Each structure stands twice: as structure tokens, then as C-alpha cells.
Amino acid sequence: MAISIKEQKQEIRNKMLRQRDALPRDLRRNYSEFICNEMWNLISSQGVKTLHTFLPMRSEIMLLPLIKRALDNGIIVVAPKTLPKRKMQNLLIEDLKQMESGIFGTYHPKTNREFKGAFDLIIVAGLAFDKAGYRIGYGGGYYDKFLADQKYSWKVGVCFPFQLLDKVPFENHDIPVNEVITLV
């Protein structure tokens, strides 16, 4: 009996979480540094003025140096606050030291200054990506709903090399990213 797409996705989620959590700290730091540098090159070359990014949790790519650099260079940086019913509130980051805990182990800016404008670039969280830009997230559907409304933003997935797969299962509601940055 064939397993469903939802079951396939869950198997990949579980595998990627195990692999990511097992990654040695120094290797995670090196990969993160590489990805932050590549992202900065993209931000600079594209003249990005507004950046939406996830705030890393647990063993995700450490993006805080990139976020700090963007803020130091006058870029508007926005992070999501996870709300019930698969909604995200987009809050301005003014100070990386002014954060509070959210649901599912997330955190977000303490200020409730919501950003309502357009984003030049969106850095998308994910557990696995494929070469066509499809992704497997944590399973809540938050990013698919958010990205569906961001038609003109450049969407970039960032991941460790083992998280880039040849193909991931996807459904009609899944929104691919335009580009995936990893160390290959």
C-alpha cells in the first residue's frame, strides 16, 4: 500500500530533524556563516530594502548575524509572529535583544509594530527543499498561506546541504521558493 503525501512529508520531517539536531555545532556554525554571507551578497546585489525572515530556533541555520548586518545597513527587517489559524503577524525587528517567546518554540519581536508593506525578499524556513524550490516545513501551513499572498517578493530557502533533496512531495497548495541557498 502506497503511503500518502502527508505521510511522506512527515517521514522526511522526522529524518531532517534528526539529521539537523545531530549536526556538530562547529559545522552548523560554519554552514550558517557561509549562508549568511551568500544571503548578504544577494541582498546587496538586489538592492533589498525590506527583508522578511524567520528567527532561527533550535538547530536551524543561525541567521542572527545576517539580521544584525541588515539592520546596521538600514534595511527594514521583519519577522513573523505565529498566530492561531495558520496566520502570521509581521513585526518589525528594531532590536535583536527585544524578543519574546511564541508558540511552537518560536520567538518574535516584543514590539507589536506591524509591517504592512511589501517585501523585496523573504527568507523561508524549511526542513527540506528540492531543486524546483518546493519545501517541506514543520507541517502547520503557515508559510504556504503567507507566501500565497507574496506574489512579487523574491523567496529564498536556506538549508544545510543534506536538506536539499532531488525532489520533495508537494501538494497543490504548496508554494515553491525562487531560490535555495546552501553549501554544495
Side-chain angles (χ1 to χ4, degrees), residues 56-122:
M57 59 182 190
R58 297 187 289 272
S59 56
E60 287 182 321
I61 300 285
M62 177 48 66
L63 293 176
L64 296 181
L66 174 68
I67 295 168
K68 181 178 181 338
R69 190 171 185 182
L71 289 170
D72 290 348
N73 281 274
I75 295 171
I76 295 169
V77 183
V78 178
K81 176 180 179 179
T82 307
L83 303 172
K85 298 183 181 177
R86 296 182 178 173
K87 292 193 179 190
M88 296 189 326
Q89 183 181 25
N90 299 306
L91 300 177
L92 287 162
I93 298 177
E94 296 169 335
D95 184 348
L96 284 171
K97 294 177 182 152
Q98 298 295 314
M99 300 288 164
E100 63 186 2
S101 297
I103 60 175
F104 306 122
T106 62
Y107 64 104
H108 54 266
K110 260 187 189 175
T111 68
N112 281 327
R113 292 198 51 217
E114 192 168 3
F115 182 79
K116 298 274 191 180
F119 302 106
D120 295 324
L121 184 104
I122 300 170

Side-chain angles (χ1 to χ4, degrees), residues 128-141:
F129 294 88
D130 71 15
K131 295 170 182 174
Y134 284 100
R135 60 180 276 283
I136 295 177
Y138 290 94

